[in-house]
Amino acid sequence: MIGSMMNYQLTLTSIMQHGKQINPNKEVVSITSDHDEHRCTLSDIFERSAQVANLLKSHNIQKGDRIATLAWNDFRHMELYYGLGCSGAVCHTINPRLHPDQVNFIINDASDKIVFLDVMFIDLIKAIEAELPTVEQFIVLTSDVAVVEHLGEKWTTYEDAISVYSTEFDWPELNENDPCQLCYTSGTTGNPKGVQYSHRALVLHTMAAIVPDAFSIGKNDCILPVVPMFHVNAWGIPYMAAMAGCKLVFAGSKVADPEVLARLIKQEGVTLAAGVPTVWNLLAQYLQDNNISLPSLKKLVVGGTAMPPHLYRYFQDEQDMAIIHAWGMTEMSPLGTINHIQAKEMQKWDEDTLFEQKLKQGVPVYGIELKLVNDDGKEVAWDGKTSGNLFVRGPWVVDKYFNRPDVENVNGWFDTGDISIIDEHGYMKITDRSKDVIKSGGEWISSVDIENAMMSHPEVSLAAVIGVEHPKWDERPLLIIQNHGDAELTHDEVVTFLIGKIAKWWMPDAIAYVDAIPMTATGKMHKLKLRDVFDGYTF
Ligand code: AMP
Protein backbone atom coordinates (compact mmCIF):
# COMPACT_ATOMS: atom_id res chain seq x y z
CA MET A 1 0.00 0.00 0.00
CA ILE A 2 1.26 3.46 -0.82
CA GLY A 3 0.11 6.91 0.27
CA SER A 4 -2.81 8.39 -1.57
CA MET A 5 -1.24 11.59 -2.86
CA MET A 6 -0.63 12.55 -6.48
CA ASN A 7 2.55 11.33 -8.08
CA TYR A 8 3.42 14.85 -9.27
CA GLN A 9 6.78 15.00 -11.03
CA LEU A 10 9.29 17.49 -9.66
CA THR A 11 10.70 18.95 -12.87
CA LEU A 12 12.27 22.23 -13.95
CA THR A 13 9.23 22.58 -16.20
CA SER A 14 7.12 22.95 -13.05
CA ILE A 15 9.39 25.78 -11.87
CA MET A 16 9.18 27.40 -15.29
CA GLN A 17 5.36 27.13 -15.42
CA HIS A 18 5.11 28.58 -11.92
CA GLY A 19 7.44 31.44 -12.82
CA LYS A 20 5.50 32.13 -16.00
CA GLN A 21 2.13 32.16 -14.30
CA ILE A 22 2.91 33.73 -10.93
CA ASN A 23 6.00 35.86 -11.49
CA PRO A 24 5.96 36.79 -15.20
CA ASN A 25 6.88 40.46 -14.82
CA LYS A 26 9.96 40.05 -12.66
CA GLU A 27 12.78 41.88 -14.32
CA VAL A 28 16.05 40.36 -15.56
CA VAL A 29 18.89 42.80 -16.21
CA SER A 30 22.00 41.65 -18.09
CA ILE A 31 25.29 42.82 -19.49
CA THR A 32 26.23 40.91 -22.66
CA SER A 33 28.75 41.31 -25.45
CA ASP A 34 26.09 43.07 -27.55
CA HIS A 35 24.16 44.93 -24.79
CA ASP A 36 25.54 47.29 -22.14
CA GLU A 37 22.26 46.97 -20.29
CA HIS A 38 19.64 44.50 -21.48
CA ARG A 39 16.28 44.38 -19.73
CA CYS A 40 13.61 41.75 -20.06
CA THR A 41 11.17 39.82 -17.87
CA LEU A 42 10.95 36.23 -16.73
CA SER A 43 8.06 35.82 -19.14
CA ASP A 44 10.25 36.99 -22.07
CA ILE A 45 12.90 34.49 -21.02
CA PHE A 46 10.48 31.57 -20.95
CA GLU A 47 9.05 32.53 -24.35
CA ARG A 48 12.52 32.49 -25.80
CA SER A 49 13.23 29.19 -24.01
CA ALA A 50 10.33 27.85 -26.08
CA GLN A 51 12.06 29.14 -29.22
CA VAL A 52 15.20 27.27 -28.11
CA ALA A 53 13.11 24.11 -27.62
CA ASN A 54 11.68 24.49 -31.15
CA LEU A 55 15.20 24.94 -32.49
CA LEU A 56 16.30 21.70 -30.80
CA LYS A 57 13.33 19.89 -32.28
CA SER A 58 14.27 21.02 -35.76
CA HIS A 59 17.77 19.64 -35.13
CA ASN A 60 16.23 16.33 -34.11
CA ILE A 61 17.70 16.58 -30.60
CA GLN A 62 16.46 13.62 -28.57
CA LYS A 63 15.64 13.25 -24.89
CA GLY A 64 18.85 13.04 -22.88
CA ASP A 65 21.11 14.51 -25.60
CA ARG A 66 23.75 16.83 -24.23
CA ILE A 67 23.97 20.41 -25.47
CA ALA A 68 26.93 22.49 -24.30
CA THR A 69 27.14 26.10 -23.17
CA LEU A 70 30.34 28.11 -22.72
CA ALA A 71 28.82 31.30 -21.50
CA TRP A 72 28.75 34.07 -18.95
CA ASN A 73 25.79 34.91 -16.77
CA ASP A 74 23.05 36.60 -18.76
CA PHE A 75 19.46 36.27 -19.97
CA ARG A 76 20.41 34.05 -22.92
CA HIS A 77 22.19 31.54 -20.71
CA MET A 78 19.08 31.42 -18.52
CA GLU A 79 16.92 30.81 -21.61
CA LEU A 80 19.16 27.84 -22.37
CA TYR A 81 18.91 26.51 -18.80
CA TYR A 82 15.14 26.20 -19.20
CA GLY A 83 14.85 25.67 -22.97
CA LEU A 84 17.24 22.71 -22.94
CA GLY A 85 16.27 21.07 -19.63
CA CYS A 86 12.50 21.43 -20.01
CA SER A 87 12.52 20.02 -23.53
CA GLY A 88 14.21 16.85 -22.26
CA ALA A 89 17.77 17.67 -23.34
CA VAL A 90 20.66 18.20 -20.94
CA CYS A 91 22.22 21.62 -20.55
CA HIS A 92 25.93 20.93 -20.24
CA THR A 93 27.65 24.01 -18.82
CA ILE A 94 31.40 24.14 -19.49
CA ASN A 95 33.94 26.21 -17.59
CA PRO A 96 35.71 28.30 -20.26
CA ARG A 97 38.65 28.90 -17.93
CA LEU A 98 39.79 25.29 -18.30
CA HIS A 99 42.77 24.33 -20.43
CA PRO A 100 41.62 23.76 -24.06
CA ASP A 101 42.64 20.09 -23.76
CA GLN A 102 40.17 19.69 -20.89
CA VAL A 103 37.40 21.50 -22.79
CA ASN A 104 38.11 19.14 -25.69
CA PHE A 105 37.94 16.10 -23.38
CA ILE A 106 34.73 17.29 -21.75
CA ILE A 107 32.84 17.99 -25.01
CA ASN A 108 33.85 14.58 -26.37
CA ASP A 109 33.10 12.76 -23.12
CA ALA A 110 29.60 14.27 -23.10
CA SER A 111 29.16 13.82 -26.89
CA ASP A 112 27.67 17.31 -27.07
CA LYS A 113 25.58 17.86 -30.21
CA ILE A 114 25.38 21.64 -30.21
CA VAL A 115 27.67 24.17 -28.54
CA PHE A 116 26.25 27.55 -27.53
CA LEU A 117 29.08 29.96 -26.79
CA ASP A 118 29.81 33.57 -26.01
CA VAL A 119 31.71 35.69 -28.53
CA MET A 120 34.71 35.69 -26.21
CA PHE A 121 35.15 31.92 -26.49
CA ILE A 122 35.07 31.63 -30.30
CA ASP A 123 38.88 31.35 -30.51
CA LEU A 124 38.98 28.69 -27.82
CA ILE A 125 36.45 26.51 -29.64
CA LYS A 126 37.74 27.28 -33.14
CA ALA A 127 41.16 25.93 -32.09
CA ILE A 128 39.68 22.53 -31.19
CA GLU A 129 36.71 22.44 -33.62
CA ALA A 130 38.27 19.75 -35.82
CA GLU A 131 38.54 17.44 -32.80
CA LEU A 132 34.85 17.69 -31.87
CA PRO A 133 33.14 15.17 -34.21
CA THR A 134 29.85 15.00 -32.29
CA VAL A 135 29.12 18.73 -32.54
CA GLU A 136 26.76 19.54 -35.40
CA GLN A 137 26.38 23.27 -34.79
CA PHE A 138 28.13 26.14 -33.02
CA ILE A 139 25.75 28.92 -31.99
CA VAL A 140 27.26 32.21 -30.84
CA LEU A 141 25.24 34.03 -28.18
CA THR A 142 24.85 37.38 -29.94
CA SER A 143 22.77 39.28 -32.47
CA ASP A 144 25.90 40.48 -34.24
CA VAL A 145 26.09 38.40 -37.44
CA ALA A 146 29.50 39.84 -38.29
CA VAL A 147 31.16 37.67 -35.62
CA VAL A 148 30.28 34.40 -37.39
CA GLU A 149 31.24 35.47 -40.91
CA HIS A 150 33.99 33.22 -42.31
CA LEU A 151 33.75 30.80 -39.36
CA GLY A 152 32.26 28.04 -41.50
CA GLU A 153 28.87 26.58 -42.28
CA LYS A 154 28.38 25.02 -38.84
CA TRP A 155 28.44 28.48 -37.26
CA THR A 156 25.51 30.82 -36.69
CA THR A 157 24.28 33.43 -34.22
CA TYR A 158 21.76 32.73 -31.46
CA GLU A 159 19.34 35.47 -32.47
CA ASP A 160 19.33 34.29 -36.09
CA ALA A 161 18.95 30.69 -35.01
CA ILE A 162 15.96 31.15 -32.71
CA SER A 163 14.15 34.08 -34.35
CA VAL A 164 12.33 31.89 -36.92
CA TYR A 165 10.69 29.74 -34.26
CA SER A 166 7.47 30.10 -32.31
CA THR A 167 7.43 31.32 -28.70
CA GLU A 168 5.02 28.47 -27.93
CA PHE A 169 6.18 24.92 -27.27
CA ASP A 170 4.34 21.83 -26.23
CA TRP A 171 6.60 20.96 -23.29
CA PRO A 172 6.91 17.18 -22.82
CA GLU A 173 5.86 15.34 -19.65
CA LEU A 174 9.22 14.45 -18.12
CA ASN A 175 10.08 12.04 -15.37
CA GLU A 176 11.57 13.77 -12.34
CA ASN A 177 14.58 11.47 -12.49
CA ASP A 178 15.41 12.50 -16.07
CA PRO A 179 18.67 14.42 -16.39
CA CYS A 180 18.58 18.15 -17.10
CA GLN A 181 21.98 19.67 -16.34
CA LEU A 182 25.56 18.40 -16.55
CA CYS A 183 28.60 20.00 -14.97
CA TYR A 184 32.16 18.64 -14.88
CA THR A 185 34.33 19.05 -11.85
CA SER A 186 38.11 19.16 -11.89
CA GLY A 187 38.12 18.96 -8.13
CA THR A 188 40.08 15.73 -8.13
CA THR A 189 42.95 14.20 -10.04
CA GLY A 190 42.84 12.92 -13.60
CA ASN A 191 40.30 13.99 -16.16
CA PRO A 192 37.32 16.09 -15.06
CA LYS A 193 34.29 14.06 -14.02
CA GLY A 194 30.71 14.87 -15.01
CA VAL A 195 27.88 15.28 -12.54
CA GLN A 196 24.50 14.90 -14.24
CA TYR A 197 21.72 16.51 -12.22
CA SER A 198 18.17 15.22 -12.32
CA HIS A 199 15.10 17.47 -12.39
CA ARG A 200 14.11 16.12 -8.99
CA ALA A 201 17.46 16.92 -7.41
CA LEU A 202 17.38 20.51 -8.64
CA VAL A 203 13.76 21.14 -7.64
CA LEU A 204 14.34 19.81 -4.12
CA HIS A 205 17.61 21.74 -3.90
CA THR A 206 15.80 24.94 -4.89
CA MET A 207 13.12 24.40 -2.28
CA ALA A 208 15.75 23.75 0.41
CA ALA A 209 17.88 26.73 -0.57
CA ILE A 210 15.29 29.51 -0.52
CA VAL A 211 14.10 29.00 3.07
CA PRO A 212 14.76 31.65 5.78
CA ASP A 213 17.70 29.89 7.43
CA ALA A 214 19.35 29.16 4.08
CA PHE A 215 19.51 31.85 1.35
CA SER A 216 16.31 33.40 2.68
CA ILE A 217 14.89 34.39 -0.68
CA GLY A 218 11.50 35.96 -1.29
CA LYS A 219 9.54 38.04 -3.79
CA ASN A 220 11.12 41.32 -2.77
CA ASP A 221 14.64 40.13 -3.39
CA CYS A 222 16.85 41.22 -6.23
CA ILE A 223 19.65 38.71 -6.77
CA LEU A 224 23.05 39.16 -8.35
CA PRO A 225 24.65 35.75 -8.91
CA VAL A 226 28.33 36.56 -9.25
CA VAL A 227 29.03 32.84 -9.18
CA PRO A 228 29.21 31.84 -12.85
CA MET A 229 26.40 29.91 -14.48
CA PHE A 230 29.05 27.39 -15.58
CA HIS A 231 29.70 26.53 -11.91
CA VAL A 232 27.06 24.18 -10.54
CA ASN A 233 24.12 26.02 -12.10
CA ALA A 234 25.16 29.31 -10.45
CA TRP A 235 24.39 27.56 -7.15
CA GLY A 236 20.78 27.14 -8.36
CA ILE A 237 19.91 30.85 -8.40
CA PRO A 238 18.20 30.84 -11.84
CA TYR A 239 15.73 28.30 -10.42
CA MET A 240 15.31 30.07 -7.08
CA ALA A 241 14.44 33.32 -8.86
CA ALA A 242 11.65 31.74 -10.88
CA MET A 243 10.32 29.74 -7.93
CA ALA A 244 10.39 32.57 -5.38
CA GLY A 245 9.74 35.33 -7.92
CA CYS A 246 12.59 37.78 -7.63
CA LYS A 247 14.44 40.18 -9.86
CA LEU A 248 17.75 38.97 -11.33
CA VAL A 249 20.85 40.91 -12.27
CA PHE A 250 23.52 39.32 -14.46
CA ALA A 251 26.95 40.94 -14.83
CA GLY A 252 27.98 39.01 -17.97
CA SER A 253 31.75 38.90 -18.42
CA LYS A 254 32.15 41.66 -15.82
CA VAL A 255 31.76 39.31 -12.85
CA ALA A 256 35.18 40.16 -11.49
CA ASP A 257 34.95 43.92 -12.06
CA PRO A 258 34.17 45.51 -8.67
CA GLU A 259 33.23 48.86 -10.20
CA VAL A 260 30.56 47.23 -12.36
CA LEU A 261 29.35 45.07 -9.48
CA ALA A 262 29.03 48.07 -7.14
CA ARG A 263 27.21 50.07 -9.82
CA LEU A 264 24.76 47.24 -10.55
CA ILE A 265 24.10 46.64 -6.86
CA LYS A 266 23.28 50.31 -6.27
CA GLN A 267 21.41 50.96 -9.51
CA GLU A 268 19.25 47.82 -9.45
CA GLY A 269 18.75 47.60 -5.68
CA VAL A 270 20.39 44.20 -5.32
CA THR A 271 19.47 42.63 -1.96
CA LEU A 272 21.40 39.35 -2.22
CA ALA A 273 24.65 38.62 -4.03
CA ALA A 274 26.42 35.27 -4.19
CA GLY A 275 30.04 34.48 -5.01
CA VAL A 276 33.47 33.29 -3.90
CA PRO A 277 35.63 35.24 -1.42
CA THR A 278 38.06 36.34 -4.17
CA VAL A 279 35.34 38.48 -5.73
CA TRP A 280 34.21 39.86 -2.37
CA ASN A 281 37.82 40.74 -1.64
CA LEU A 282 38.02 42.82 -4.83
CA LEU A 283 34.69 44.46 -4.04
CA ALA A 284 35.70 45.27 -0.45
CA GLN A 285 38.90 46.90 -1.68
CA TYR A 286 36.99 48.98 -4.22
CA LEU A 287 34.31 50.06 -1.71
CA GLN A 288 36.95 51.06 0.84
CA ASP A 289 39.09 52.96 -1.67
CA ASN A 290 36.08 54.91 -2.93
CA ASN A 291 34.20 55.23 0.33
CA ILE A 292 31.07 53.58 -1.05
CA SER A 293 28.35 51.86 0.94
CA LEU A 294 25.79 49.45 -0.46
CA PRO A 295 22.71 49.82 1.75
CA SER A 296 20.36 47.69 -0.39
CA LEU A 297 22.63 44.64 -0.19
CA LYS A 298 21.49 42.87 2.96
CA LYS A 299 22.64 39.31 2.29
CA LEU A 300 26.04 38.26 1.05
CA VAL A 301 26.28 34.58 0.16
CA VAL A 302 29.85 33.30 0.30
CA GLY A 303 31.05 29.86 -0.68
CA GLY A 304 33.57 27.91 -2.68
CA THR A 305 36.31 28.51 -0.12
CA ALA A 306 36.26 29.63 3.50
CA MET A 307 35.37 33.25 4.19
CA PRO A 308 38.49 35.07 5.52
CA PRO A 309 37.80 36.69 8.93
CA HIS A 310 38.82 40.24 7.88
CA LEU A 311 36.38 40.16 4.95
CA TYR A 312 33.64 38.77 7.15
CA ARG A 313 34.13 41.60 9.61
CA TYR A 314 34.28 44.26 6.90
CA PHE A 315 31.00 43.28 5.26
CA GLN A 316 29.28 42.59 8.58
CA ASP A 317 30.47 45.63 10.53
CA GLU A 318 31.18 48.28 7.88
CA GLN A 319 28.50 47.37 5.33
CA ASP A 320 25.88 45.99 7.71
CA MET A 321 25.32 42.80 5.73
CA ALA A 322 24.30 39.34 6.92
CA ILE A 323 26.98 36.91 5.78
CA ILE A 324 25.55 33.63 4.58
CA HIS A 325 28.54 31.30 4.58
CA ALA A 326 27.81 28.17 2.57
CA TRP A 327 29.70 24.97 1.89
CA GLY A 328 28.95 22.57 -0.91
CA MET A 329 30.26 20.89 -4.01
CA THR A 330 29.55 20.33 -7.68
CA GLU A 331 28.59 16.82 -6.60
CA MET A 332 25.99 18.30 -4.20
CA SER A 333 24.11 20.61 -6.59
CA PRO A 334 25.92 22.36 -4.61
CA LEU A 335 24.38 23.20 -1.23
CA GLY A 336 25.46 21.19 1.83
CA THR A 337 25.76 23.42 4.88
CA ILE A 338 24.87 27.00 5.70
CA ASN A 339 26.05 29.29 8.45
CA HIS A 340 23.47 32.02 8.55
CA ILE A 341 21.31 32.87 11.47
CA GLN A 342 22.56 31.63 14.81
CA ALA A 343 20.07 30.38 17.30
CA LYS A 344 19.01 32.89 19.95
CA GLU A 345 21.03 31.18 22.64
CA MET A 346 24.24 31.64 20.61
CA GLN A 347 23.67 35.39 20.41
CA LYS A 348 24.42 35.47 24.15
CA TRP A 349 27.90 34.03 23.66
CA ASP A 350 30.87 36.35 24.06
CA GLU A 351 31.83 38.10 20.84
CA ASP A 352 34.98 36.10 20.07
CA THR A 353 33.30 32.73 20.58
CA LEU A 354 30.34 33.79 18.47
CA PHE A 355 32.62 35.04 15.70
CA GLU A 356 34.56 31.73 15.69
CA GLN A 357 31.22 29.99 15.32
CA LYS A 358 30.18 32.25 12.43
CA LEU A 359 33.35 31.42 10.51
CA LYS A 360 32.47 27.72 10.42
CA GLN A 361 30.88 26.26 7.30
CA GLY A 362 27.61 25.77 9.15
CA VAL A 363 24.85 23.26 9.70
CA PRO A 364 23.46 20.93 7.05
CA VAL A 365 20.34 22.17 5.29
CA TYR A 366 17.37 19.82 5.51
CA GLY A 367 17.96 17.02 2.99
CA ILE A 368 21.68 16.68 3.57
CA GLU A 369 23.13 14.25 6.11
CA LEU A 370 26.75 14.52 7.27
CA LYS A 371 29.01 11.83 8.69
CA LEU A 372 32.62 12.01 9.92
CA VAL A 373 34.71 8.90 9.45
CA ASN A 374 38.29 8.23 10.56
CA ASP A 375 40.93 6.46 8.46
CA ASP A 376 39.83 3.10 9.89
CA GLY A 377 36.34 3.66 8.54
CA LYS A 378 34.86 4.29 12.04
CA GLU A 379 32.45 7.14 12.66
CA VAL A 380 33.82 9.86 14.96
CA ALA A 381 31.94 12.00 17.44
CA TRP A 382 30.50 15.46 16.81
CA ASP A 383 32.53 16.97 19.66
CA GLY A 384 34.08 19.97 17.90
CA LYS A 385 37.54 18.44 18.34
CA THR A 386 37.87 15.12 16.54
CA SER A 387 38.37 15.48 12.82
CA GLY A 388 37.32 12.97 10.20
CA ASN A 389 36.71 12.49 6.50
CA LEU A 390 33.44 14.17 5.66
CA PHE A 391 30.82 11.97 3.98
CA VAL A 392 27.40 13.17 2.81
CA ARG A 393 24.16 11.80 1.43
CA GLY A 394 20.88 13.24 0.29
CA PRO A 395 18.54 13.63 -2.69
CA TRP A 396 20.78 16.15 -4.46
CA VAL A 397 24.09 14.35 -3.89
CA VAL A 398 25.73 12.54 -6.81
CA ASP A 399 25.22 8.78 -6.93
CA LYS A 400 27.40 8.00 -9.95
CA TYR A 401 29.55 10.21 -12.17
CA PHE A 402 28.62 10.54 -15.83
CA ASN A 403 30.32 7.80 -17.91
CA ARG A 404 32.32 6.65 -14.88
CA PRO A 405 30.92 3.38 -13.50
CA ASP A 406 34.38 2.76 -11.99
CA VAL A 407 33.94 5.46 -9.31
CA GLU A 408 31.53 4.38 -6.60
CA ASN A 409 30.06 5.77 -3.41
CA VAL A 410 30.78 3.95 -0.16
CA ASN A 411 27.65 2.25 1.24
CA GLY A 412 25.47 5.01 -0.11
CA TRP A 413 27.64 7.84 1.22
CA PHE A 414 29.67 10.26 -0.92
CA ASP A 415 33.24 11.02 0.23
CA THR A 416 33.66 14.78 -0.14
CA GLY A 417 37.47 14.74 0.11
CA ASP A 418 37.16 17.38 2.82
CA ILE A 419 38.36 16.82 6.36
CA SER A 420 36.33 18.50 9.05
CA ILE A 421 35.12 18.65 12.61
CA ILE A 422 31.50 19.01 13.69
CA ASP A 423 30.56 20.51 17.04
CA GLU A 424 27.76 19.47 19.36
CA HIS A 425 25.45 22.07 17.76
CA GLY A 426 25.93 20.44 14.34
CA TYR A 427 28.20 23.20 12.98
CA MET A 428 30.74 21.79 10.57
CA LYS A 429 34.18 23.29 10.10
CA ILE A 430 36.49 22.32 7.24
CA THR A 431 39.98 21.77 8.62
CA ASP A 432 41.81 20.26 5.65
CA ARG A 433 41.41 18.36 2.38
CA SER A 434 42.32 14.78 1.59
CA LYS A 435 41.97 15.53 -2.13
CA ASP A 436 45.08 16.80 -3.85
CA VAL A 437 43.87 20.08 -5.20
CA ILE A 438 44.29 23.80 -4.75
CA LYS A 439 41.47 26.30 -5.02
CA SER A 440 42.54 29.58 -6.54
CA GLY A 441 39.91 32.26 -7.02
CA GLY A 442 37.20 29.61 -6.80
CA GLU A 443 38.76 27.45 -9.54
CA TRP A 444 40.59 24.16 -9.13
CA ILE A 445 44.26 23.58 -9.79
CA SER A 446 45.33 19.94 -9.81
CA SER A 447 48.52 19.63 -7.78
CA VAL A 448 49.07 16.14 -9.20
CA ASP A 449 49.05 17.41 -12.80
CA ILE A 450 51.72 20.02 -11.97
CA GLU A 451 53.76 17.41 -10.09
CA ASN A 452 53.63 14.96 -13.00
CA ALA A 453 54.65 17.67 -15.45
CA MET A 454 57.50 18.79 -13.18
CA MET A 455 58.81 15.30 -12.50
CA SER A 456 59.54 14.88 -16.20
CA HIS A 457 62.38 17.42 -15.75
CA PRO A 458 65.77 15.63 -15.63
CA GLU A 459 67.01 17.65 -12.62
CA VAL A 460 63.95 16.87 -10.50
CA SER A 461 63.78 13.76 -8.40
CA LEU A 462 60.43 14.43 -6.69
CA ALA A 463 58.02 17.34 -6.94
CA ALA A 464 55.12 18.09 -4.63
CA VAL A 465 52.66 20.95 -4.93
CA ILE A 466 50.63 22.31 -2.05
CA GLY A 467 48.22 25.20 -1.72
CA VAL A 468 49.37 28.13 0.37
CA GLU A 469 47.13 30.91 1.63
CA HIS A 470 47.12 33.94 -0.65
CA PRO A 471 45.56 37.33 0.15
CA LYS A 472 43.95 37.80 -3.27
CA TRP A 473 43.33 34.29 -4.63
CA ASP A 474 42.66 32.41 -1.33
CA GLU A 475 45.23 29.78 -2.30
CA ARG A 476 48.11 29.57 -4.76
CA PRO A 477 50.44 26.66 -5.61
CA LEU A 478 53.82 26.30 -3.96
CA LEU A 479 56.12 23.86 -5.74
CA ILE A 480 58.39 21.82 -3.47
CA ILE A 481 61.29 20.08 -5.18
CA GLN A 482 63.60 17.30 -4.10
CA ASN A 483 66.53 17.45 -6.52
CA HIS A 484 68.78 14.82 -8.11
CA GLY A 485 71.81 17.07 -7.88
CA ASP A 486 72.78 20.48 -6.56
CA ALA A 487 71.60 22.66 -9.45
CA GLU A 488 68.46 24.51 -8.36
CA LEU A 489 66.08 25.60 -11.10
CA THR A 490 65.03 29.23 -10.96
CA HIS A 491 61.37 30.22 -10.94
CA ASP A 492 61.72 31.43 -14.56
CA GLU A 493 63.22 28.12 -15.64
CA VAL A 494 60.37 26.23 -14.02
CA VAL A 495 57.76 28.43 -15.69
CA THR A 496 59.46 28.07 -19.09
CA PHE A 497 59.54 24.29 -18.60
CA LEU A 498 55.85 24.12 -17.66
CA ILE A 499 54.52 26.38 -20.46
CA GLY A 500 52.20 24.36 -22.69
CA LYS A 501 52.07 21.53 -20.15
CA ILE A 502 49.64 23.24 -17.77
CA ALA A 503 47.27 26.24 -17.94
CA LYS A 504 49.05 29.58 -17.46
CA TRP A 505 47.12 30.42 -14.30
CA TRP A 506 48.24 27.12 -12.73
CA MET A 507 51.91 28.20 -12.69
CA PRO A 508 53.41 27.78 -9.19
CA ASP A 509 53.94 31.14 -7.49
CA ALA A 510 57.15 30.03 -5.80
CA ILE A 511 59.54 27.10 -5.42
CA ALA A 512 61.00 25.66 -2.23
CA TYR A 513 63.76 23.07 -2.09
CA VAL A 514 63.89 20.28 0.48
CA ASP A 515 66.41 17.50 1.04
CA ALA A 516 63.69 14.89 1.15
CA ILE A 517 59.94 15.06 0.60
CA PRO A 518 58.25 13.15 3.48
CA MET A 519 56.53 9.92 2.40
CA THR A 520 53.58 8.00 3.85
CA ALA A 521 53.72 4.35 4.85
CA THR A 522 52.19 3.45 1.50
CA GLY A 523 54.90 5.33 -0.39
CA LYS A 524 52.90 8.43 -1.33
CA MET A 525 54.12 11.96 -0.84
CA HIS A 526 52.92 13.03 2.60
CA LYS A 527 50.97 16.18 1.73
CA LEU A 528 49.55 16.66 5.21
CA LYS A 529 53.07 16.65 6.66
CA LEU A 530 54.29 19.02 3.94
CA ARG A 531 51.41 21.38 4.67
CA ASP A 532 52.50 21.32 8.34
CA VAL A 533 56.12 22.07 7.43
CA PHE A 534 55.08 25.01 5.26
CA ASP A 535 52.39 26.24 7.63
CA GLY A 536 52.61 30.04 7.75
CA TYR A 537 54.60 30.27 4.50
CA THR A 538 54.09 33.56 2.66
CA PHE A 539 54.79 34.23 -1.00
P1 AMP B 1 33.38 22.67 -6.21
O1 AMP B 1 32.96 21.30 -6.56
O2 AMP B 1 34.27 23.29 -7.24
O3 AMP B 1 32.21 23.52 -5.88
O4 AMP B 1 34.27 22.59 -4.92
C1 AMP B 1 33.83 21.98 -3.74
C2 AMP B 1 34.91 22.05 -2.70
O5 AMP B 1 35.25 23.41 -2.44
C3 AMP B 1 34.56 21.48 -1.37
O6 AMP B 1 34.72 20.09 -1.33
C4 AMP B 1 35.55 22.21 -0.46
O7 AMP B 1 36.82 21.63 -0.53
C5 AMP B 1 35.60 23.58 -1.10
N1 AMP B 1 34.64 24.49 -0.46
C6 AMP B 1 33.42 24.83 -0.92
N2 AMP B 1 32.83 25.71 -0.09
C7 AMP B 1 33.68 25.93 0.92
C8 AMP B 1 33.65 26.73 2.12
N3 AMP B 1 32.62 27.50 2.43
N4 AMP B 1 34.72 26.68 2.94
C9 AMP B 1 35.79 25.90 2.65
N5 AMP B 1 35.88 25.14 1.54
C10 AMP B 1 34.84 25.15 0.69
Side-chain angles (χ1 to χ4, degrees), residues 182-194:
L182 173 65
C183 183
Y184 279 69
T185 175
S186 320
T188 43
T189 53
N191 279 324
K193 294 201 283 291

Side-chain angles (χ1 to χ4, degrees), residues 54-61 113-114 136-137 139 165:
N54 280 309
L55 168 78
L56 298 187
K57 200 171 165 190
S58 77
H59 277 266
N60 199 24
I61 297 299
K113 293 218 164 140
I114 299 176
E136 293 159 13
Q137 181 127 52
I139 301 181
Y165 294 106

Side-chain angles (χ1 to χ4, degrees), residues 185 304-306 325-330 361 418 433 435 439 444:
T185 175
T305 38
H325 184 192
W327 165 86
M329 303 182 71
T330 306
Q361 276 69 19
D418 287 322
R433 276 186 213 130
K435 50 195 174 196
K439 213 167 197 191
W444 290 114

Side-chain angles (χ1 to χ4, degrees), residues 517-527:
I517 287 179
M519 305 300 272
T520 65
T522 52
K524 291 186 188 151
M525 291 190 287
H526 206 319
K527 292 291 184 71

Side-chain angles (χ1 to χ4, degrees), residues 9-57:
Q9 299 297 296
L10 301 175
T11 62
L12 294 186
T13 319
S14 71
I15 299 185
M16 178 174 71
Q17 304 289 21
H18 179 80
K20 210 150 105 179
Q21 210 160 43
I22 307 302
N23 309 306
N25 300 320
K26 291 291 172 174
E27 200 176 19
V28 180
V29 183
S30 313
I31 297 177
T32 68
S33 63
D34 54 343
H35 295 280
D36 291 339
E37 191 179 292
H38 180 276
R39 287 176 188 274
C40 64
T41 62
L42 277 183
S43 167
D44 297 331
I45 287 198
F46 296 137
E47 284 189 355
R48 284 161 53 93
S49 296
Q51 290 181 293
V52 170
N54 280 309
L55 168 78
L56 298 187
K57 200 171 165 190

Side-chain angles (χ1 to χ4, degrees), residues 372 384-388 419-423 427-431:
L372 288 183
K385 293 193 287 279
T386 317
S387 71
I419 297 173
S420 70
I421 51 177
I422 305 178
D423 67 23
Y427 280 66
M428 187 273 289
K429 180 182 172 186
I430 304 273
T431 54

Side-chain angles (χ1 to χ4, degrees), residues 81 202 205-206 215 227 231-241 333-334:
Y81 265 40
L202 296 189
H205 179 269
T206 310
F215 285 14
V227 48
H231 263 177
V232 212
N233 321 319
W235 299 349
I237 289 170
Y239 312 125
M240 298 175 205
S333 306

